[in-house]
Amino acid sequence: MAEPEMTETNEGGEVRRRDFINIAAVSFAGVGAGVVALPLVSQMSPSADVLALASVEVDVSSIEVGQAIKTTWRKQPIFIRNLTSEEIAESKAVNASDLRDPATFEERTLPGKENWLVMLGVCTHLGCIPLGAAQGEIKGEYDGYFCPCHGSHYDAAGRIRKGPAPTNLEVPEFSFISDTVVKIG
Amino acid sequence: MSFPWANQYQPENEFMKWMDSRLPLPRLIYNAIGAGYPVPRNLNYFWNFGVLAGVALVIQILTGVILAMHYAANVGVAFDSVEHIMRNVNSGWLLRYAHMNGASFFFIVVYIHIFRGLFYSSYKAPREMVWLLGLVIFLLMMATAFMGYVLPWGQMSFWGAKVITGLFSAIPLVGPALQEWLLGGFSPDNATLNRFFSLHFVLPFVIFGVIILHIWALHIPGSSNPTGIEIKGQQDTIPFHPYYTAKDGFGLGIFLIFFCILTFFMPNFLGHPDNYIPANELSTPAHIVPEWYFWPFYAILRAFTFDFLFIPAKLLGVIAMFGSILLLFFLPWLDKSPVRSGHYRPIFRKFFWFGLIPCILLLGYLGGAPAEEPYVMLSQLASAYYFAHFLIILPIISMTEKPKPLPNSITEAVTGKPLESAA
Ligand code: HEM
Ligand code: FES
């Protein structure tokens, strides 16, 4: 008494109404499961309080020429260095296009404040803190920074010169909100 | 395999009969690790290490669950809570040292277990699935141990977490976002510690589940043996219980002696002193190294200091490190020799003992050494050999070498007398 397209054995192989219902039901359940998975995945991303610590202000008036301080931003170390004129000249003399991660000295500093180098003290290889910011630390073969974890050498402008790190030390977004106060982030 | 001559389970009393017809768990155990499981008669001590790995997992779960009763997963107090376990909790020092050294012993026995598989080619048909599941267990173990090492929140914990999650940042496009997602921040912090604790707690139970699959898959063809030839008759086998329960029990005793020597007399021998310094996000330890059991892989990671084609060094190192393990998933199909046991494969055996084994030991040594010359150059050579061994040397010799004649049966190999009837 059942109509042919409603039986289990449909020899013609054409699409039955039941196939359509099955596929529609399973797809709907699939979409539902996908939507449920979203919060399960997104809960892992940085939470609101972590994102809220997004900017810091630092007074740099006490940093002498040739010295640097370490501070933190978003729980990551920041190097702020008052470059010497030799370091500036040396960094400008480098031909940027020969570098692994080409960047000129001007691109890494602010115009008119080019003695201030502000960088994340996080090796772009796997995240160790490079040496070279504090006095007496090894500065590596290019007279800048050296990461002891896997041997990356950075120059005085924080550009990668040798070793496994792929990119230059990151320069965060920063600006001078007064002559002596830097705002990072 | 259920050989026709396997002992049949006979419930001993009325209660066991009642049980057998409702929940036949005793029957399952009898057939899996009891007198109902026929095993080749010639297994040597290398066949102890599977059971020992199981015991190591039980030790980890027991000590771990108890540690979790006293440990607090919060960056403010995690370090102190571990010291509290060490100083104040009754027998806390014992449980923690047992858990710390238990992790090392787990890896020691698993490495020997894998070594056994490599030498006797246990990965070959019909046991490919056993091998593949074993590698899954190995990957899960590495994830578990890594996250466990983060929990005490010492210097090595913190920087280990940073460097290992940093590996994911090498992935093009999504890498940095993926790292932030894994950490729940820009750097390891409370969110990281909490999720690692949760996962470190649950993964061992996942491992337990995969071990059940591993043994299920093993029991379909049954255990291989040092000659690598098939079982031909009843005389080739003996029941697992009492023969191998006794042999495994003896091995377990030896294992526990070594375990106790380390745990009681030199509990920090395998650890790194820097992990007794609380985590400091502003100072990287001079030499950051992972736990010893990761050294060979760490050496491969660090060997890539140069860009190749358009792939940056950092990504190459990560691909090579993961590749060195993923490669093993293809081993059953890379080794084409019809003969299993290394005893009957003269050229294979030479490359195994004088190529692969020294290469892995050297990588292990280099992974713990600082990132300087000559270690970097040696790591490059050893990594190159590692990949060449599996991808080039092994496939070629497995097709070209002439194996030595195999014994006619296990019984003949052991007693010198032929198997009487092919029962
Ligand atoms: C596959 C099995 C396991 C392995 C390989 C493993 C490995 C480790 C390692 C290497 C540590 C760091 C030891 C240290 O330096 O102090 C650790 C710590 C810890 N593990 Fe496990 N573990 C396992 C199972 C478990 C289980 C099942 C639990 C709980 C249910 C657990 C709970 C803990 C706790 C609370 C700590 C922190 C206390 C401490 O540092 O001693 N573990 N684990
Ligand atoms: S983290 Fe700096 S070289 Fe690897």
Side-chain angles (χ1 to χ4, degrees):
Chain A
M1 60 174 237
E3 293 158 52
E5 67 267 32
M6 293 297 282
T7 58
E8 293 299 329
T9 53
N10 182 336
E11 269 146 47
E14 72 267 31
V15 178
R16 298 169 304 163
R17 282 205 288 183
R18 182 160 295 180
D19 288 338
F20 176 77
I21 293 170
N22 285 348
I23 292 169
V26 171
S27 316
F28 197 73
V31 171
V35 172
V36 170
L38 279 180
L40 300 184
V41 171
S42 70
Q43 53 82 21
M44 296 270 284
S45 300
S47 56
D49 61 320
V50 171
L51 294 173
L53 299 169
S55 72
V56 289
E57 288 170 19
V58 189
D59 182 353
V60 296
S61 55
S62 59
I63 309 173
E64 304 285 334
V65 175
Q67 295 202 323
I69 58 160
K70 289 183 192 173
T71 172
T72 56
W73 172 61
R74 290 174 160 186
K75 297 254 172 184
Q76 305 192 82
I78 290 277
F79 296 164
I80 303 181
R81 185 177 202 92
N82 193 345
L83 296 169
T84 62
S85 42
E86 297 88 72
E87 283 172 329
I88 297 175
E90 213 177 275
S91 305
K92 282 186 171 167
V94 176
N95 184 357
S97 54
D98 295 343
L99 301 177
R100 178 180 295 173
D101 180 12
T104 62
F105 179 74
E106 288 76 11
E107 284 164 351
R108 296 179 60 76
T109 49
L110 295 180
K113 290 278 188 189
E114 59 177 24
N115 58 319
W116 292 106
L117 183 63
V118 178
M119 301 185 302
L120 240 57
V122 178
C123 179
T124 59
H125 181 226
L126 297 174
C128 292
I129 302 182
L131 300 171
Q135 236 142 18
E137 286 180 352
I138 319 171
K139 288 169 155 291
E141 289 175 23
Y142 292 85
D143 214 20
Y145 305 85
F146 171 71
C147 181
C149 290
H150 318 94
S152 288
H153 299 256
Y154 298 89
D155 66 15
R159 292 174 294 196
I160 180 66
R161 303 299 284 272
K162 187 179 167 190
T167 54
N168 302 333
L169 291 177
E170 189 183 331
V171 175
E173 209 173 287
F174 75 98
S175 58
F176 276 84
I177 53 175
S178 79
D179 238 17
T180 54
V181 177
V182 180
K183 178 168 178 255
I184 302 168
Chain B
M1 180 152 74
S2 48
F3 293 102
W5 58 83
N7 294 325
Q8 290 303 309
Y9 177 66
Q10 307 289 353
E12 268 161 28
N13 50 43
E14 285 307 315
F15 173 70
M16 291 307 249
K17 276 186 197 139
W18 182 88
M19 190 70 177
D20 194 44
S21 56
R22 285 162 181 81
L23 180 71
L25 191 60
R27 175 183 292 275
L28 185 82
I29 293 172
Y30 182 91
N31 289 335
I33 49 171
Y37 178 44
V39 189
R41 62 191 284 176
N42 59 337
L43 300 189
N44 60 30
Y45 276 105
F46 281 121
W47 267 258
N48 277 24
F49 286 87
V51 166
L52 293 182
V55 172
L57 179 67
V58 171
I59 294 177
Q60 289 310 91
I61 290 183
L62 274 179
T63 53
V65 168
I66 299 172
L67 284 174
M69 296 177 189
H70 304 278
Y71 168 82
N74 178 293
V75 290
V77 291
F79 187 89
D80 292 343
S81 78
V82 173
E83 288 310 305
H84 158 76
I85 292 173
M86 295 298 290
R87 295 163 198 227
N88 304 334
V89 174
N90 298 316
S91 313
W93 60 273
L94 173 59
L95 291 161
R96 172 161 187 253
Y97 278 158
H99 195 75
M100 257 169 76
N101 288 289
S104 281
F105 272 85
F106 199 177
F107 277 93
I108 294 172
V109 295
V110 164
Y111 280 136
I112 297 176
H113 190 64
I114 296 176
F115 160 87
R116 188 279 316 266
L118 289 171
F119 182 73
Y120 294 105
S121 310
S122 306
Y123 46 78
K124 283 192 185 160
R127 295 181 189 80
E128 300 97 321
M129 194 50 93
V130 184
W131 174 254
L132 300 180
L133 287 166
L135 290 173
V136 171
I137 295 170
F138 181 49
L139 290 174
L140 287 170
M141 265 177 76
M142 295 208 285
T144 307
F146 158 64
M147 288 190 276
Y149 196 55
V150 175
L151 302 185
W153 210 243
Q155 271 291 66
M156 284 294 166
S157 301
F158 180 90
W159 291 99
K162 185 142 196 183
V163 166
I164 301 300
T165 54
L167 297 178
F168 293 89
S169 74
I171 300 168
L173 302 178
V174 296
L178 184 63
Q179 185 187 6
E180 264 172 36
W181 180 78
L182 287 170
L183 290 172
F186 304 100
S187 176
D189 204 353
N190 214 27
T192 321
L193 181 60
N194 266 290
R195 66 189 55 180
F196 280 14
F197 181 46
S198 171
L199 292 172
H200 182 74
F201 202 125
V202 78
L203 281 184
F205 299 92
V206 177
I207 294 176
F208 195 84
V210 184
I211 288 175
I212 291 183
L213 300 183
H214 184 69
I215 295 174
W216 185 9
L218 170 70
H219 281 46
I220 291 174
S223 299
S224 183
N225 67 85
T227 65
I229 59 175
E230 308 289 341
I231 290 167
K232 303 226 168 87
Q234 183 168 6
Q235 283 180 326
D236 284 346
T237 69
I238 45 179
F240 189 84
H241 180 73
Y243 294 99
Y244 286 111
T245 40
K247 188 163 180 160
D248 285 339
F250 179 73
L252 177 61
I254 307 280
F255 167 85
L256 289 176
I257 289 173
F258 282 109
F259 179 59
C260 288
I261 291 175
L262 240 78
T263 303
F264 287 104
F265 297 105
M266 41 205 315
N268 290 305
F269 175 69
L270 295 169
H272 198 294
D274 277 19
N275 220 25
Y276 286 102
I277 305 171
N280 177 353
E281 65 211 29
L282 284 185
S283 132
T284 310
H287 296 300
I288 60 167
V289 285
E291 292 274 81
W292 69 267
Y293 35 79
F294 293 131
W295 285 354
F297 307 104
Y298 200 55
I300 295 178
L301 171 76
R302 293 195 300 188
F304 289 83
T305 52
F306 48 86
D307 301 355
F308 179 68
L309 300 176
F310 47 87
I311 312 175
K314 175 178 169 182
L315 181 57
L316 272 180
V318 174
I319 294 176
M321 187 183 75
F322 285 110
S324 65
I325 300 170
L326 293 183
L327 174 81
L328 299 175
F329 280 88
F330 297 93
L331 193 55
W333 298 277
L334 288 169
D335 180 353
K336 302 200 161 56
S337 172
V339 175
R340 292 198 188 94
S341 171
H343 287 306
Y344 303 99
R345 301 172 64 185
I347 306 178
F348 166 88
R349 196 170 57 192
K350 287 199 184 75
F351 277 97
F352 185 85
W353 284 117
F354 301 112
L356 187 63
I357 295 300
C359 165
I360 293 177
L361 293 178
L362 179 65
L363 281 172
Y365 170 75
L366 295 168
E372 294 159 10
E373 294 300 351
Y375 307 118
V376 175
M377 198 254 297
L378 286 172
S379 310
Q380 291 167 343
L381 292 175
S383 305
Y385 181 82
Y386 179 90
F387 284 99
H389 183 90
F390 288 111
L391 294 174
I392 303 169
I393 298 173
L394 185 63
I396 293 179
I397 56 177
S398 68
M399 284 188 285
T400 53
E401 86 177 328
K402 187 167 172 296
K404 291 204 222 154
L406 293 173
N408 289 320
S409 70
I410 293 172
T411 301
E412 193 182 298
V414 177
T415 63
K417 296 190 207 98
L419 190 70
E420 278 156 30
S421 62

